[in-house]
Amino acid sequence: MILPIYTYGQPVLREVAKDITPDYPNLKELIANMYETLERADGVGLAAPQIGLSIRVVVINLDIISEDMPELKGFIHTFINPHILETDGEMVNMEEGCLSLPGIHENVQRANRIHVHYMDENFIEHDEWVDGYVARVMQHEFDHLEGKMFIDHLSPLRKQLIRGKLNTMLKGKARSSYKMKQVKR
Ligand code: NI
């Protein structure tokens, strides 16, 4: 089932999401719905707060960009209760977008290498270092679980320049090719 994506201004996007346990109701179905919603919206990652749930569940599908980055072929992973333990090394600048911020694309500086702890959809624990594009997408998605969005990393000047677009969202007048749940005014 395709779910509407909550956009900027929805309070759930600013909450710190909670860890879940394996008995979370209908988890398999929820994850399947998140992948379907992500695919329909042509995105690479989706965090549960973006569909209105303040829980620590993230799906990432990098297979859809593997034509450009062959090393990402088959990268389709679910992250439950993920936490970034530490970051290391250089900071890298790259343009990002977000399904909750339609029409906004800005450069964001992030660590190239991160140490993450998470569970997969079978609640098997993983503890690993990742780098490059995967680390970039994880940092973006895991930020959502802390109530953060990529625009929080921008300079005051860049923020000023996107103010108009953000105000449009706050009025519930954003447009996109996928189903959204905007703030009602
Ligand atoms: Ni996002």
Side-chain angles (χ1 to χ4, degrees):
M1 187 171 66
I2 290 165
L3 307 165
I5 294 174
Y6 285 52
T7 55
Y8 179 78
Q10 291 281 12
V12 68
L13 294 172
R14 291 312 196 177
E15 289 170 21
V16 177
K18 292 190 174 60
D19 282 343
I20 62 163
T21 53
D23 58 0
Y24 188 85
N26 306 317
L27 183 59
K28 273 210 163 76
E29 193 186 343
L30 168 69
I31 291 169
N33 289 342
M34 285 177 71
Y35 278 114
E36 198 182 340
T37 301
L38 179 62
E39 193 179 345
R40 171 63 185 81
D42 274 329
V44 295
L46 187 69
Q50 295 181 275
I51 51 154
L53 294 174
S54 193
I55 56 172
R56 300 185 84 87
V57 179
V58 163
V59 299
I60 295 180
N61 181 349
L62 301 180
D63 189 62
I64 65 161
I65 54 165
S66 61
E67 233 170 75
D68 296 327
M69 297 185 193
E71 70 276 17
L72 299 176
K73 184 108 192 103
F75 190 106
I76 301 173
H77 289 292
T78 306
F79 301 87
I80 293 175
N81 303 342
H83 292 272
I84 295 173
L85 304 179
E86 54 187 320
T87 62
D88 176 45
E90 56 180 325
M91 300 291 284
V92 199
N93 234 341
M94 194 188 246
E95 193 180 83
E96 293 187 15
C98 178
L99 296 175
S100 295
L101 293 160
I104 298 180
H105 299 273
E106 292 286 333
N107 276 313
V108 180
Q109 198 172 50
R110 295 194 191 269
N112 188 45
R113 196 163 172 262
I114 58 172
H115 180 194
V116 289
H117 181 268
Y118 62 90
M119 285 178 280
D120 59 30
E121 64 275 27
N122 299 313
F123 280 81
I124 292 165
E125 281 192 52
H126 296 261
D127 188 306
E128 57 199 33
W129 281 92
V130 296
D131 61 14
Y133 194 70
V134 174
R136 155 88 35 185
V137 176
M138 279 188 186
Q139 287 173 87
H140 176 117
E141 298 308 327
F142 299 173
D143 259 4
H144 279 298
L145 306 179
E146 308 302 334
K148 287 190 204 147
M149 304 180 85
F150 84 83
I151 53 171
D152 302 340
H153 296 280
L154 303 181
S155 68
L157 173 65
R158 295 306 309 175
K159 252 181 224 167
Q160 194 54 40
L161 291 170
I162 59 169
R163 183 57 52 199
K165 286 179 182 169
L166 294 177
N167 284 338
T168 302
M169 285 178 215
L170 291 178
K171 287 177 191 143
K173 290 180 176 168
R175 304 178 89 180
S176 72
S177 58
Y178 46 88
K179 193 159 60 157
M180 296 183 289
K181 193 169 169 73
Q182 301 195 59
V183 183
K184 285 203 185 86
R185 283 288 152 118

